[in-house]
Amino acid sequence: MDYIVFDLEWNQCPDGKDKEDKRLPFEIIQIGAVKLNEQFEETDRFNEYIRPVLYKTLHFHTREILHVDIQSLRRARSFPEVASDFFSWCGTDPVYCTWGSSDLLELQRNLTFHGMESPFPFPLFYLDIQKNFSLQMEDGKSRRSLEYVSNLLNLPKGIPFHNALSDSIYTSRVMQKLDKQALLDYFSIDYYRVPGSRKEEILVQYGTYSKFVSKTFANKNDAMRDRKVASTPCYLCKKPAKKKIRWFTGNSRNYYCLCYCETHGWLKGKIRLKKTEEDRVFAVKTLKLIGTEEAKRIVDRKDAVRRKNQRHRSS
DNA sequence: CCAACTAAAAGCCGGACCAT
DNA sequence: ATGGTCCGGCTTTTAGTTGG
């Protein structure tokens, strides 16, 4: 099993959004990757440019960012050819690692556009190095640029940023600086393909919390009314924890609830509803055992939301 | 420029409640 | 019945990151 640290460069419609092909706003023009063994040691590299079929000149702004010569792209191979070779090179059981979450998304959109079969397993787990840097070195929420982190960690420079191969190399170097076990523990889940049925629903145990990814629903209401989505089983004993504060929302994006497990204590619930490419809705629910002081914070937050609405109405 | 994510604020709407 | 306020749920808007 190898770790595949990869990065993509892509282009967009040079004539503005109106003229773009709605099926593919971003067209991949380079795939770069570094292969690491179990010890995170580099064993191989992959680098190839891709001949565009949609956008044959660079968008003004991407030309500023990327250092690519559009002329050389015309001599490059097509996306299906390069992508096939890339996945062969990745081997049979790779763990994909990226800087941020957008690369796997755009890669799959390009695969779909070209009518290619998905080479990925379902569910697709991967390692987001940008997120894990924040978890280990910062607040867990910030998202730093690759250049910022490379400077912070005094990584050897000399190769340009915003090139698929060199960014893969930088990303792999950041990866090597992280605590390995923590990194492997906090893997991410790709949501390009989401569970289409009960059978495909995903339940994952992390160290201090559990994560559940539901099947899709027609709308938000259906999702939140679903018994399995709304349920709050304690992830240690599997028994239902009793709701003290039912699901509520403070910012329209996340729902929270507070419940109590007779054997394991306070349990915080959080649901984030997300939309699929087809505009359907699915739920990502995390359940976490917490202490009394954090339980109180949820009670306070519920209170704050109520007061905020009060103030808002009176003004 | 375009897309995704996050957070906060503002706006909309209908039901519950209350006083008239 | 009518009008006003409160409240919860939801959407939209705005601003600031990141990615290319």
Side-chain angles (χ1 to χ4, degrees):
Chain A
M1 193 275 292
D2 291 310
Y3 296 93
I4 304 296
V5 187
F6 79 93
D7 183 56
L8 308 170
E9 306 303 320
W10 55 70
N11 185 27
Q12 63 188 285
C13 182
D15 308 314
K17 203 183 169 185
D18 311 335
K19 303 269 183 77
E20 81 177 9
D21 189 322
K22 297 299 171 197
R23 297 169 301 169
L24 192 71
F26 295 137
E27 184 174 28
I28 295 172
I29 53 175
Q30 188 193 10
I31 300 178
V34 169
K35 189 180 280 182
L36 305 181
N37 63 18
E38 300 271 4
Q39 287 71 46
F40 285 4
E41 296 159 341
E42 183 179 323
T43 59
D44 203 3
R45 289 179 179 182
F46 183 98
N47 184 27
E48 197 160 339
Y49 290 89
I50 291 165
R51 169 164 39 89
V53 295
L54 278 184
Y55 313 126
K56 303 191 178 170
T57 57
L58 291 178
H59 185 280
F60 174 78
H61 264 274
T62 51
R63 191 167 54 228
E64 304 258 302
I65 298 167
L66 310 181
H67 322 102
V68 287
D69 172 26
I70 195 72
Q71 299 295 337
S72 66
L73 292 186
R74 295 202 182 135
R75 295 189 298 272
R77 293 197 296 157
S78 71
F79 178 83
E81 291 175 298
V82 175
S84 302
D85 278 6
F86 172 64
F87 289 116
S88 304
W89 176 83
C90 288
T92 51
D93 190 25
V95 172
Y96 295 100
C97 311
T98 57
W99 191 260
S101 58
S102 59
D103 289 273
L104 268 175
L105 172 65
E106 300 307 335
L107 179 53
Q108 288 174 96
R109 282 179 174 166
N110 275 258
L111 286 167
T112 301
F113 175 80
H114 287 280
M116 297 175 70
E117 213 161 296
S118 173
F120 300 113
F122 183 84
L124 173 56
F125 300 127
Y126 69 101
L127 300 180
D128 181 343
I129 307 305
Q130 185 191 43
K131 181 179 85 173
N132 273 273
F133 166 80
S134 182
L135 284 170
Q136 293 191 27
M137 313 274 201
E138 295 191 322
D139 62 357
K141 295 189 172 186
S142 67
R143 292 296 181 267
R144 299 291 195 178
S145 71
L146 183 58
E147 189 163 7
Y148 174 93
V149 174
S150 298
N151 287 329
L152 191 80
L153 297 179
N154 286 314
L155 296 183
K157 285 195 280 291
I159 45 177
F161 286 94
H162 295 299
N163 172 283
L165 177 60
S166 51
D167 280 3
S168 300
I169 295 170
Y170 282 117
T171 302
S172 69
R173 302 247 167 91
V174 175
M175 190 170 158
Q176 288 161 347
K177 294 273 186 184
L178 297 179
D179 178 83
K180 188 175 172 183
Q181 197 51 54
L183 171 62
L184 298 185
D185 286 346
Y186 289 102
F187 56 88
S188 298
I189 305 173
D190 176 77
Y191 296 132
Y192 180 78
R193 255 192 79 194
V194 292
S197 64
R198 289 279 179 217
K199 263 186 95 157
E200 288 187 330
E201 287 181 332
I202 306 166
L203 180 61
V204 177
Q205 288 292 328
Y206 290 93
T208 56
Y209 62 97
S210 70
K211 181 172 276 194
F212 169 76
V213 183
S214 80
K215 73 186 185 79
T216 65
F217 298 89
N219 54 55
K220 267 186 179 182
N221 278 343
D222 287 1
M224 289 308 290
R225 268 202 303 268
D226 183 75
R227 287 195 63 183
K228 196 163 177 200
V229 169
S231 70
T232 50
C234 171
Y235 56 89
L236 289 184
C237 61
K238 313 291 179 200
K239 284 187 292 193
K242 196 173 177 186
K243 293 251 186 357
K244 298 294 181 181
I245 297 178
R246 66 177 196 282
W247 292 106
F248 71 99
T249 175
N251 56 13
S252 85
R253 199 166 299 267
N254 292 333
Y255 291 80
Y256 299 95
C257 81
L258 179 64
C259 23
Y260 192 77
C261 168
E262 289 302 330
T263 16
H264 297 102
W266 294 107
L267 198 63
K268 177 175 84 171
K270 176 180 167 184
I271 290 178
R272 194 165 80 255
L273 293 180
K274 298 171 85 83
K275 285 204 168 175
T276 69
E277 303 257 303
E278 296 81 25
D279 239 35
R280 287 179 64 81
V281 176
F282 66 100
V284 179
K285 174 176 65 184
T286 58
L287 295 172
K288 184 180 187 179
L289 283 166
I290 55 172
T292 50
E293 60 291 329
E294 191 168 355
K296 189 176 182 309
R297 276 209 294 278
I298 298 175
V299 176
D300 291 345
R301 187 173 348 164
K302 169 82 175 169
D303 257 20
V305 169
R306 194 169 56 232
R307 280 199 307 274
K308 194 189 89 177
N309 287 339
Q310 270 173 0
R311 275 201 312 278
H312 179 245
R313 298 305 311 173
S314 62
S315 63

